[in-house]
Amino acid sequence: MGDTGPIQQAKLVLLGDMGAGKSSLVLRFVKGQFFDYQESTIGAAFLTKTIPEKGVKFEIWDTAGQERYHSLAPMYYRGAAAAVVVFDITNAESFAKAKNWVKELQRQGNPNMIMALAGNKADLAAQRSVTADEAKAYADENSLFFWETSAKTNVNVAEVFNDIAERLPRAAAALPQQPTGGITLTEPAPEQKKKSSCCSTA
Amino acid sequence: MSPGPSRDAYGFQIQCDEGQSAARERCAQSSSKQATKWAKYAQKKSLPSGEKLKKLCRKGIPPEHRPWVWTELSGAKKRRSEHMASYYEAMVDMGESSSEFTHQIELDLARTFPGNAWVCTAEGRAALRRVLLAFSVQNPRIGYCQSMNFLAAALLLALDRSEEKAFWVLVCLIDDGGILYQDTYARDLTGAHVEMRSLEELVAAKLPNLHRHLQSIGCDMTIIGATDWILCLYTTSLPAETAMRVWDALLSEGTKILYRVALALLKTHEDRLLAQDNAGYVQREMKLASAGMHDRDALMKVAFDGVGSMPMARIDTIRVTKQADVEVELAKRSRNKQLREAVSMSERHAPFSSQGLSSLADKIKNAYAAQISRPIEHR
Ligand SMILES: Nc1nc2c(ncn2[C@@H]2O[C@H](COP(=O)(O)OP(=O)(O)OP(=O)(O)O)[C@@H](O)[C@H]2O)c(=O)[nH]1
Ligand SMILES: [Mg+2]
């Protein structure tokens, strides 16, 4: 706080079911825009955004949501300092998928990874099928930040990223990005976790 | 030059700087020259054979002839003639009533080329919906894979909005024994992984400097954009007319064209990519450079003359090795997943009871048994 050190880079990945609103959240955060029809993401898209007050530059990977693209995800979350797992509050299945992502990150991701859970499309509360209480309880149990967001009406979008920025360990975030060293479809085994994550040394 | 958003013949907005506009102009001129060469074949709707056809397709098929030429080249015409006349309609009916992918397809309709003047209309979306639903039941093993929405839309645009033609060309691209590598769109994308790794190997051989640099910053072909190339077949990365030009050659010569074009893009923009020291920026640079490739003649020239020989036999040999690697890794991955599920199930029920332990043992055994790998098939 009050730190005016150099800008630190932090790799952040967005995960979640197709159509949950990952790309829309990123676009809202990075460019302040929203499109009713946001092109489906194939593979992953890369965007950056600096929050000068927090001294952080987010390097954001917005991934593809369809189940079959799951095998590509480790490539993007490997070495990430933070993750935002997104679900659509009008779609219970997307919440179940979000839980799976959290589990996978807990097991395979960087152990110091900061995770946020975003219940998106909060503007559609009338069609809600996941309650805020339910999601909040789950988030608490798993030490995740939780926000109900709307990319469409710009509710709590900046908050998600600000929370993360504040919690980033300065030293860890400053570490250079570790090369991922080629494609691996298999997730690293839990024993190797410490070795393979870039932010485990403080 | 002209102000306001101008659109290309397919209804996509054109975003060009002056140099790119000039290149478009040049390419349009050379394309109209090609049109005269096609006139005699168009008259009889019959294609020349062998080298002659290959050469003609490499120079670009005039857009007005694509509907019949693509259906012929791809095998779609033949395939269609082998089925009852109402086959497509039947698949649409079946898809509409029973496709397990209805929801996913529905989600993607409005998210497919939302900026295109026709695809975003009710008519365009309805056509896209029917083609995708029909495909998903025609080939239920593959069903619907995100990226096929872009392929189907591009086909509709190229083929005079004929759903039936678009459907059959899609079938000829993706079905077993089709033009693309097996299982590229399968439920675990096995084939796409094989293709991306094979491309990686070709890049290492043909552009060693660039490859070394990319490796040192942890940027593999998947990250740089190979999903756009291998799965979307350039429809989401190149300007439409350039992408169609790639398809002209793809449908005539097969998947090696995908490699040739990828190498050409990398080679053309090698300096820009070498200047980046972070995988994300490399991807961004590649996307920008690809979106600006209005000089389709130049791109295809590099693809055909600038990346050296690429015998199919070599590609096939590489694929065999990669296929084996990918299968082992995917099997390991799914076994790990099953083991974890088994453990968490047993923990949830009765952590230390003898019943809990023996059911855990059973589940682990089953997980191993389930992953006795199936024999590897190669094309
Ligand atoms: N009402 C409402 N709609 C939203 C909101 N966020 C996204 N959408 C819409 O939901 C659809 C899907 O959003 P995307 O951002 O493309 O979803 P995604 O998670 O990136 O999906 P994939 O790229 O397929 O994985 C789009 O049509 C968006 O316009 C929101 O907060 N409220
Ligand atoms: Mg997206």
Side-chain angles (χ1 to χ4, degrees):
Chain A
M1 253 166 270
D3 194 328
T4 50
I7 299 278
Q8 297 179 342
Q9 295 173 2
K11 177 172 168 181
L12 181 150
V13 63
L14 278 103
L15 300 164
D17 199 6
M18 81 185 263
K22 299 176 294 298
S23 302
S24 301
L25 282 172
V26 178
L27 198 70
R28 172 61 80 186
F29 173 59
V30 171
K31 298 193 182 150
Q33 297 172 326
F34 176 81
F35 297 112
D36 277 323
Y37 305 118
Q38 170 67 38
E39 204 155 275
S40 352
T41 310
I42 311 297
F46 179 77
L47 293 100
T48 59
K49 169 89 171 177
T50 306
I51 311 186
E53 315 87 80
K54 311 255 188 250
V56 174
K57 178 178 187 180
F58 280 119
E59 298 181 339
I60 304 170
W61 286 103
D62 166 27
T63 62
Q66 198 188 19
E67 188 74 36
R68 54 190 87 184
Y69 287 85
H70 195 131
S71 56
L72 296 177
M75 220 176 296
Y76 299 103
Y77 67 64
R78 209 178 303 143
V84 179
V85 177
V86 184
F87 69 94
D88 170 352
I89 63 160
T90 70
N91 178 341
E93 198 184 322
S94 75
F95 184 50
K97 294 219 170 111
K99 290 180 180 172
N100 286 337
W101 278 118
V102 170
K103 244 186 252 166
E104 177 163 340
L105 291 174
Q106 285 168 341
R107 234 176 345 248
Q108 321 294 349
N110 153 23
N112 301 325
M113 186 185 279
I114 299 164
M115 277 191 251
L117 180 67
N120 191 42
K121 308 198 186 179
D123 55 290
L124 300 179
Q127 290 137 260
R128 169 193 292 284
S129 58
V130 181
T131 67
D133 287 347
E134 184 186 355
K136 176 83 173 88
Y138 173 78
D140 287 345
E141 236 168 78
N142 289 277
S143 328
L144 318 168
F145 296 116
F146 172 64
W147 289 98
E148 285 208 337
T149 58
S150 170
K152 183 167 182 167
T153 56
N154 195 13
V155 173
N156 290 338
V157 178
E159 281 75 358
V160 174
F161 293 89
N162 278 333
D163 260 4
I164 291 174
E166 242 152 58
R167 219 57 67 91
L168 280 173
R170 308 291 282 173
L175 280 181
Q177 294 284 310
Q178 187 125 320
T180 54
I183 319 171
T184 334
L185 299 173
T186 40
E187 306 133 6
E191 304 83 63
Q192 299 170 314
K193 200 147 83 172
K194 282 178 202 77
K195 207 172 52 193
S196 65
S197 71
C198 79
C199 302
S200 56
T201 43
Chain B
M1 319 260 138
S2 60
S6 52
R7 290 181 184 270
D8 66 13
Y10 303 98
F12 288 100
Q13 273 186 29
I14 304 171
Q15 276 148 349
C16 284
D17 62 25
E18 253 173 59
Q20 291 164 344
S21 295
R24 279 192 53 152
E25 203 64 29
R26 274 198 312 277
C27 292
Q29 275 165 22
S30 68
S31 156
S32 60
K33 244 186 255 159
Q34 280 308 110
T36 58
K37 293 193 187 160
W38 279 87
K40 62 176 169 188
Y41 305 110
Q43 226 163 31
K44 295 193 197 129
K45 291 242 159 100
S46 95
L47 292 172
S49 54
E51 274 302 300
K52 186 149 204 173
L53 177 64
K54 177 172 144 185
K55 269 204 183 127
L56 270 174
C57 293
R58 283 191 170 199
K59 295 254 173 193
I61 300 165
E64 66 273 23
H65 297 322
R66 281 190 181 124
W68 71 271
V69 179
W70 280 18
T71 42
E72 196 129 323
L73 283 176
S74 63
K77 189 174 164 196
K78 179 160 174 288
R79 203 66 174 258
R80 181 182 168 186
S81 71
E82 292 162 359
H83 291 76
M84 61 179 187
S86 58
Y87 186 80
Y88 171 66
E89 289 306 328
M91 288 299 117
V92 172
D93 286 347
M94 197 162 130
E96 284 180 337
S97 64
S98 68
S99 173
E100 71 171 289
F101 293 96
T102 307
H103 175 68
Q104 295 190 6
I105 289 171
E106 213 62 51
L107 264 177
D108 275 344
L109 292 176
R111 301 195 300 147
T112 307
F113 300 136
N116 181 276
W118 180 73
V119 180
C120 74
T121 62
E123 184 194 311
R125 284 183 195 161
L128 185 59
R129 171 193 292 115
R130 285 190 293 264
V131 172
L132 292 173
L133 281 172
F135 184 88
S136 75
V137 290
Q138 185 277 149
N139 187 336
R141 196 172 63 80
I142 287 184
Y144 174 67
C145 176
Q146 277 193 306
S147 69
M148 279 165 34
N149 51 327
F150 295 110
L151 304 188
L155 282 167
L156 284 165
L157 290 170
L159 304 178
D160 277 348
R161 303 175 188 176
S162 158
E163 290 174 35
E164 198 165 5
K165 284 186 179 143
F167 168 79
W168 284 111
V169 176
L170 199 60
V171 168
C172 288
L173 280 166
I174 296 175
D175 266 15
D176 278 350
I179 296 167
L180 302 175
Y181 187 62
Q182 64 198 11
D183 284 346
T184 293
Y185 301 88
R187 295 189 188 218
D188 50 10
L189 301 183
T190 329
H193 284 292
V194 173
E195 291 293 73
M196 293 192 279
R197 289 177 186 213
S198 303
L199 174 62
E200 186 93 41
E201 189 136 331
L202 287 171
V203 174
K206 299 204 175 261
L207 300 167
N209 256 339
L210 179 64
H211 188 253
R212 223 172 296 124
H213 174 69
L214 294 177
Q215 282 231 304
S216 75
I217 57 170
C219 182
D220 56 51
M221 285 303 129
T222 309
I223 291 178
I224 201 172
T227 44
D228 286 341
W229 307 337
I230 303 293
L231 287 155
C232 299
L233 310 181
Y234 297 95
T235 56
T236 51
S237 45
L238 295 176
E241 191 47 59
T242 310
M244 303 289 185
R245 187 64 191 275
V246 173
W247 282 52
D248 290 341
L250 168 70
L251 297 176
S252 129
E253 293 179 57
T255 39
K256 72 159 82 170
I257 297 303
L258 299 180
Y259 291 108
R260 283 197 172 279
V261 174
L263 286 161
L265 278 172
L266 292 167
K267 184 172 180 183
T268 305
H269 302 290
E270 187 167 7
D271 291 342
R272 279 173 82 170
L273 302 175
L274 283 170
Q276 306 299 329
D277 60 1
N278 170 308
Y281 295 104
V282 170
Q283 194 214 54
R284 181 190 289 179
E285 209 55 32
M286 193 70 245
K287 272 202 185 318
L288 282 172
S290 304
M293 287 301 318
H294 292 280
D295 196 341
R296 45 190 195 265
D297 286 347
L299 177 68
M300 298 318 277
K301 188 163 171 41
V302 179
F304 296 128
D305 307 332
V307 298
S309 76
M310 205 175 303
M312 209 51 219
R314 176 166 175 209
I315 294 177
D316 282 337
T317 312
I318 299 175
R319 279 173 172 167
V320 169
T321 339
K322 302 298 173 193
Q323 175 86 32
D325 294 350
V326 167
E327 280 181 11
V328 168
E329 285 177 34
L330 285 173
K332 221 187 264 172
R333 194 170 179 277
S334 91
R335 187 190 60 204
N336 285 344
K337 196 171 158 217
Q338 287 176 41
L339 285 177
R340 284 198 303 262
E341 276 162 10
V343 171
S344 81
M345 278 269 274
S346 305
E347 276 170 357
R348 216 176 308 143
H349 294 308
F352 297 112
S353 72
S354 62
Q355 202 192 6
L357 286 176
S358 77
S359 94
L360 172 62
D362 281 349
K363 288 198 173 106
I364 292 174
K365 256 186 269 156
N366 290 342
Y368 271 100
Q371 79 115 8
I372 292 172
S373 56
R374 63 187 169 92
I376 303 168
E377 299 153 29
H378 303 299
R379 265 253 282 279

